Amino acid sequence: MEKTETTREYQKALHYLYAQMQTGDLAIGDRLPTERTLAETLSISRNSTREAIRMLEHAGLIESRRGSGNYLTGNAAQSISGLVEIMLLLHQTNRAEICSFRRNMEKAVCRTILEMHTLPRWNEKLTHILFQLDQAETQTEHIHWDQQFHDTLLQATENRFWILMLHAVTEVYHQWIAAAIFHADPEVEKLLRQSHRELLCALEQRDFNACCKAIDRHYDLADRELLSD
């Protein structure tokens, strides 16, 4: 009975904080009420409020600052990235599955950009990134601008849920692709850069099939480097 009561209490605290977020009374960057204030407001125990706050912290929604309190961050992607890492360690997934997911989701990203007609707002930035990628003289520069290109494609969907979820997975994937590019020979680097240009051209021409072909060329190269490691 005691355990059930405690569960109800921390759920009460969670529901209260979620409601504060929904109404805008609690926004990203705001400090949460203290454990004592929450406990008194909701007539629950301090242990229950502490458990609710700990759960939100593990989910990446808040951060605890020593001597200052708990603040809403909204960084759920960090928690999802950690979950993917744990799944890899426990062999509940593997590189091949994540690479396949990333390839197919990038095709879905391009379809969304075409359907929502968002490219005009992002084309200048994508073009600038490709220029910088072509000018890259080191693997470190190549890695940076490669990541910028794919991240900007994701941003161009203007879909906050997709951005959150795919950023979480991409955090893991980027570690691998960075290592692959760093050790790739110059010909592979050249082909990877070319596939980026082909993809942007296909988007400009509103040709989804050409987008898929460019993505497959890019990921065939990337996966060959990643999965042979």
Side-chain angles (χ1 to χ4, degrees):
M1 183 67 179
E2 183 179 348
K3 184 176 181 181
T4 301
E5 189 64 32
T6 302
T7 300
R8 288 175 181 168
E9 285 193 345
Y10 86 71
Q11 287 178 339
K12 189 176 181 180
L14 287 173
H15 291 158
Y16 174 79
L17 291 171
Y18 286 148
Q20 293 284 297
M21 296 176 203
Q22 288 177 328
T23 60
D25 291 329
L26 190 60
I28 290 176
D30 288 349
R31 186 172 65 178
L32 271 66
T34 64
E35 292 177 5
R36 179 178 179 178
T37 300
L38 279 172
E40 292 177 351
T41 300
L42 301 173
S43 299
I44 61 178
S45 70
R46 290 278 295 274
N47 285 339
S48 295
T49 60
R50 189 174 297 115
E51 179 66 18
I53 289 172
R54 186 182 299 115
M55 291 179 68
L56 291 173
E57 187 173 9
H58 287 166
L61 293 175
I62 67 171
E63 67 173 352
S64 178
R65 301 176 189 172
R66 184 178 295 276
S68 180
N70 299 299
Y71 291 79
L72 186 66
T73 64
N75 191 16
Q78 180 180 349
S79 178
I80 298 170
S81 295
L83 177 61
V84 174
E85 294 277 14
I86 291 171
M87 290 175 66
L88 283 164
L89 289 172
L90 295 176
H91 304 292
Q92 293 181 320
T93 189
N94 54 45
R95 282 194 177 194
E97 291 177 347
I98 292 175
C99 289
S100 175
F101 173 82
R102 191 67 184 87
R103 178 195 296 248
N104 286 295
M105 289 311 296
E106 186 138 305
K107 292 177 182 178
V109 161
C110 289
R111 182 186 291 279
T112 300
I113 291 171
L114 294 177
E115 289 176 348
M116 302 304 293
H117 305 284
T118 58
L119 183 63
R121 291 191 286 275
W122 296 88
N123 198 22
E124 184 177 351
K125 183 174 182 179
L126 287 164
T127 301
H128 171 73
I129 290 171
L130 288 187
F131 174 79
Q132 295 296 331
L133 185 59
D134 284 338
Q135 300 301 308
E137 296 181 352
T138 66
Q139 284 98 336
T140 300
E141 291 174 341
H142 184 175
I143 291 165
H144 171 76
W145 291 110
D146 179 276
Q147 292 180 357
Q148 288 293 307
F149 180 79
H150 292 284
D151 287 346
T152 303
L153 273 182
L154 180 54
Q155 293 288 334
T157 65
E158 299 181 1
N159 183 310
R160 289 176 295 178
F161 183 76
W162 276 40
I163 291 167
L164 169 67
M165 297 300 291
L166 287 182
H167 264 168
V169 176
T170 300
E171 282 297 314
V172 178
Y173 183 87
H174 274 339
Q175 299 172 26
W176 303 339
I177 196 66
I181 292 175
F182 193 83
H183 295 100
D185 63 51
E187 183 60 27
V188 171
E189 284 192 55
K190 178 181 176 181
L191 292 172
L192 285 170
R193 297 182 198 199
Q194 182 179 332
S195 66
H196 289 96
R197 291 192 296 272
E198 292 172 351
L199 178 53
L200 182 56
C201 181
L203 284 169
E204 291 171 340
Q205 295 175 359
R206 300 191 54 78
D207 187 338
F208 179 66
N209 288 331
C211 287
C212 291
K213 290 178 181 178
I215 289 169
D216 282 335
R217 278 192 287 273
H218 178 81
Y219 282 90
D220 283 347
L221 289 165
D223 290 357
R224 188 173 65 196
E225 298 294 320
L226 288 172
L227 302 177
S228 64
D229 185 6

